[in-house]
Amino acid sequence: MPLSPRVPDLAALDLLLSVIETGSLGRAAEAHGITQPSVSSRIRYLEKLVGFPVLERSALGSRPTPAGALVAEWARTVIDAARQLGAGIDTLREQRASHLRVAASQTVAEYLFPQWLTVLRARAPQTTVGLRAGNSADVARAVLEGQAEIGFIEGPRAPKGLHSQVVATDRLTVVVAPGHPWARRSAITLAELAGTPLIQREPGSGTRIAFEEAVTARIPGWKAIPLLELSSTTAIKTATAAGIGPAVLSSLAVTTELASGALKAPTVHDLNLSRTLRVVWPVGQRPTGPARDLHAIAHQAGRGADKA
């Protein structure tokens, strides 16, 4: 239920207690870092609000009236509770500032986040970070449900309810085993790729969404028929290297395998496989504290990679 309109605000009650404790409007003003006229004005406001005098003023100072002494006694309980509330809020803010919950797509979690975390640890060594990895749909859900302060997804747009900003660009790469017929070719056609069942990530994966949108932009109405669906990038690379079939993965994920020759990457004619990686946070909010720092670190790293 609402408070009585006769209840003064905390600042006025705190000033009343200070006047009574110091015995002077001037000393109370000095303790609060305000002018004596300001203290006098606040006390007059309090007296008008409650409907009776709370202080007796004289050349020797100020002391409470009998009614004022009662108000002051009740006020001490209120001010003590307010100080406990303030201390509790400060503790919660410190805890929040020292722990950051992050959700990230698997590509970001495995190939970009470790570098960002190194920089964050150097800037804020007291901050602990919890990382939740999943597909882009999982990440969006975690941020929307408050399970993470900030998230990183793969894709051209932010899901409903989330703001986003591009922090990096990436390119999808078609990969095959060294013994696959495509491995002996420098390029394949879009028609060949679209007509071949692929090893793919599960529905909701940013990699899969980006690839399917790229193909349907060139072949309207095209529907993917996966050869195999796996929820792990590592599992897809293993299956592809074993010769089970071609796959489409982030270029970040296959750098080592391409360099070693464990996988081959033919070019695809007439297909744009570039994509964006985005930071997301809830609509109506802005990243603060460590989340803001991580946002800035990811954005700066992405700009540096683009220049390189």
Side-chain angles (χ1 to χ4, degrees), residues 51-225:
F52 49 79
V54 295
L55 290 176
E56 293 178 354
R57 301 163 180 83
S58 70
L60 298 177
S62 299
R63 63 180 184 178
T65 64
L70 281 173
V71 171
E73 183 178 346
W74 299 326
R76 283 191 184 90
T77 301
V78 174
I79 294 300
D80 286 345
R83 288 190 176 119
Q84 290 179 10
L85 174 62
I89 290 172
D90 288 343
T91 298
L92 290 175
R93 286 174 60 88
E94 289 172 3
Q95 291 175 347
R96 183 180 178 86
S98 64
H99 183 72
L100 173 62
R101 296 174 300 167
V102 182
S105 69
Q106 287 195 10
T107 297
V108 174
E110 293 181 22
Y111 303 103
L112 294 175
F113 185 76
Q115 304 165 32
W116 302 342
L117 181 59
T118 299
V119 179
L120 180 64
R121 290 287 296 164
R123 293 186 185 179
Q126 76 286 356
T127 299
T128 60
V129 179
L131 174 63
R132 175 175 180 168
N135 63 37
S136 291
D138 293 333
V139 171
R141 187 161 48 251
V143 176
L144 285 169
E145 293 177 356
Q147 298 170 14
E149 281 85 50
I150 195 170
F152 295 91
I153 63 172
E154 309 158 24
R157 67 191 70 85
K160 185 177 180 181
L162 295 176
H163 278 307
S164 75
Q165 183 180 41
V166 174
V167 293
T169 56
D170 183 26
R171 185 171 185 82
L172 299 180
T173 301
V174 177
V175 290
V176 296
H180 192 279
W182 292 354
R184 296 186 292 274
R185 298 168 56 183
S186 61
I188 60 174
T189 67
L190 173 57
E192 286 178 294
L193 180 63
T196 301
L198 305 174
I199 303 172
Q200 290 191 296
R201 287 282 306 279
E202 77 287 356
S205 157
T207 296
R208 179 166 174 172
I209 291 170
F211 170 66
E212 292 181 350
E213 289 189 355
V215 176
T216 54
R218 300 285 296 139
I219 308 175
W222 175 82
K223 297 292 183 183
I225 304 177

